[in-house]
Amino acid sequence: MESIADNLAVVRDQIDSACRKAGRRPDEVRLIAVSKTKSAAAIREAWEAGQREFGESYVQEFLDKLEDPLLSGLPISWHFIGHLQSNKVRQVTGKVSMIHGIDKVTTAEELSKRSGQHGIVTDCLLEVNVSRESSKHGLDPASLMTAAEACFRLPNIRLRGLMTIASPDPGQARHEFAELRECLEKLRSSAPDPAILSELSMGMSQDFEEAVLEGSTMIRIGTAIFGWR
Ligand SMILES: *Cc1c(COP(=O)(O)O)cnc(C)c1O
């Protein structure tokens, strides 16, 4: 069996070659190691191999990991990548560097309110359902502009970009990644501060090369690093 450190090295190599193919610099693409369902020991192993950004999807599991003696005190940058319900926002506010899966204005409002109580501004992304699969979370691309404009007005969040989960077929996924990039370009043209609206969180173990080719700035990889869940 390959170790987590070996897997990370392979994934980093693959990202570098995808960047070369796309004519992009490797430092334009951040790797988020998705550690949901994986142990604190596995996260620690990835950390020892130099990984600093991790993604978690379930609130209680995430809070438990923060308390774990193997991890507490490590300067880890946590990304909340799961679907976040309004009533759970309070529990993660102040503990994450970015929230990826906001798909309702009411959730954004709650996040701004709770961030205000902590005296912070929280970076977040709007999730867009570009694959239009009804089983998926995310805003319809047609309602994205209205939602983003509401977010621009909230004082304690900073909308940094968009996130999506693509269709399973990588060819189809590539079209969806291109659409997400176009959505971001459109939003930037009406954003009060386009420079901070720069992130595209797209690409997972199966389709990150396609995502890098279409401009991804953050790829979220679980299986290829930690093995099957
Ligand atoms: C689980 C998950 C991932 C990682 O998926 P892999 O296929 O294991 O790389 C990425 N993004 C989100 C939102 C996830 O829930």
Side-chain angles (χ1 to χ4, degrees):
M1 228 183 90
E2 306 292 320
S3 73
I4 287 171
D6 292 339
N7 291 344
L8 265 171
V10 169
V11 167
R12 287 188 187 124
D13 265 0
Q14 289 170 334
I15 297 171
D16 284 0
S17 29
C19 285
R20 265 195 303 278
K21 201 167 151 188
R24 304 181 61 201
R25 294 195 322 268
D27 65 359
E28 292 173 32
V29 184
R30 282 149 69 185
L31 169 61
I32 297 170
V34 176
S35 47
K36 65 181 181 207
T37 80
K38 298 298 176 181
S39 68
I43 297 173
R44 177 81 197 203
E45 209 177 315
W47 193 85
E48 305 282 353
Q51 181 63 29
R52 293 293 177 267
E53 299 195 88
F54 291 86
E56 287 284 335
S57 298
Y58 308 108
V59 172
Q60 193 53 52
E61 181 190 337
F62 167 57
L63 297 175
D64 290 345
K65 283 175 180 167
L66 285 185
E67 302 284 306
D68 194 291
L70 279 174
L71 303 177
S72 63
L74 291 187
I76 287 179
S77 171
W78 295 102
H79 293 251
F80 195 84
I81 63 168
H83 182 246
L84 187 60
Q85 291 165 291
S86 265
N87 62 3
K88 302 245 170 106
V89 164
R90 184 180 57 82
Q91 293 173 273
V92 301
T93 306
K95 301 188 163 116
V96 290
S97 57
M98 192 177 285
I99 295 184
H100 292 230
I102 305 267
D103 68 352
K104 285 190 186 66
V105 172
T106 49
T107 311
E109 288 168 346
E110 174 70 5
L111 181 61
S112 184
K113 179 180 139 194
R114 297 294 178 181
S115 299
Q117 291 169 351
H118 284 259
I120 58 172
V121 175
T122 303
D123 280 351
C124 63
L125 308 174
L126 285 174
E127 181 172 357
V128 188
N129 186 2
V130 278
S131 71
R132 295 170 179 81
E133 287 171 46
S134 58
S135 61
K136 283 197 181 134
H137 292 291
L139 290 151
D140 190 297
S143 56
L144 179 59
M145 187 65 90
T146 314
E149 279 167 352
C151 290
F152 294 149
R153 289 191 290 269
L154 292 168
N156 289 83
I157 62 168
R158 196 163 33 219
L159 183 62
R160 299 297 315 279
L162 303 176
M163 176 268 207
T164 200
I165 299 172
S167 299
D169 172 63
Q172 181 60 28
R174 180 154 183 187
H175 291 291
E176 293 164 5
F177 294 146
E179 186 179 351
L180 195 73
R181 174 170 42 72
E182 286 155 17
C183 287
L184 186 71
E185 283 159 10
K186 201 165 140 222
L187 282 191
R188 282 168 66 105
S189 65
S190 70
D193 187 356
I196 66 166
L197 193 62
S198 55
E199 304 291 341
L200 283 171
S201 169
M202 57 189 198
M204 318 199 330
S205 295
Q206 297 303 318
D207 55 19
F208 68 86
E209 184 176 309
E210 286 79 8
V212 168
L213 290 170
E214 294 301 339
S216 174
T217 63
M218 287 186 280
I219 56 179
R220 312 176 308 263
I221 299 197
T223 310
I225 296 171
F226 295 109
W228 296 107
R229 288 182 292 273

